[in-house]
Amino acid sequence: QDQSPFGWLYYGAWKAKGLLASPWIVSAEVTRQFPDTVMLAVSERQPFARWQRPGAGEVLVSEDGTTLPTGAGIVPGDLARLPVVTGWGPERLSEALRLTRALSRYTVQSVTYTPAGFTAKTASGTAWGGDLETFVKYAGSIGMYPNKKIHIYPWGVSVQE
């Protein structure tokens, strides 16, 4: 007999708390449909990037920065296509993932963070920016100057041959 404060119709996320213990699961909810059906709604995280942690090994991360364990169902060839995030200094993973998402139309291969800024290598060139907001704002420069080295500053964009 269910002693849920919500009664027999709605169990909610608390009934699926075992699923929520997995880093692969964003949300899970159990709903009972009268008379004899139980529905389970699950949202899963997807691998978004490979993070080469300073002084440690490479791990998969989702777009929200959650570390995802590898195991059955993870195909190494699929992982090779994911962008690689590296860096040193204070951890800036969440900012690097935001930049990776903002530049996704340029097929990001890698993003490197340092205390001085970010470098993004894409299929069409390399760009550096010291400030994340400015980098994201002027990211269109990557498409305007293919196969060039671009430096994005708050006062303008520098293009190197």
Side-chain angles (χ1 to χ4, degrees), residues 28-90:
E29 188 173 279
V30 178
T31 307
R32 181 175 178 190
Q33 289 183 327
F34 187 76
D36 59 359
T37 303
V38 175
M39 293 181 54
L40 177 62
V42 177
S43 294
E44 295 179 295
R45 287 183 174 90
Q46 299 297 316
F48 183 69
R50 296 174 290 147
W51 180 30
Q52 181 60 52
R53 298 173 295 174
E58 186 177 275
V59 295
L60 288 178
V61 291
S62 64
E63 192 170 347
D64 67 1
T66 301
T67 300
L68 302 173
T70 56
I74 304 299
V75 180
D78 293 341
L79 302 180
R81 289 189 289 265
L82 294 175
V84 177
V85 175
T86 59
W88 61 273

Side-chain angles (χ1 to χ4, degrees), residues 116-128:
F118 299 89
T119 301
K121 182 178 179 187
T122 70
S124 60
T126 302
W128 175 89

Side-chain angles (χ1 to χ4, degrees), residues 115-157:
F118 299 89
T119 301
K121 182 178 179 187
T122 70
S124 60
T126 302
W128 175 89
D131 174 69
L132 180 63
E133 298 304 320
T134 305
F135 201 145
V136 170
K137 183 177 180 179
Y138 295 109
S141 299
I142 294 170
M144 293 170 55
Y145 303 103
N147 302 314
K148 306 286 185 202
K149 289 185 178 182
I150 300 168
H151 288 81
I152 300 172
Y153 303 100
W155 56 86
V157 176

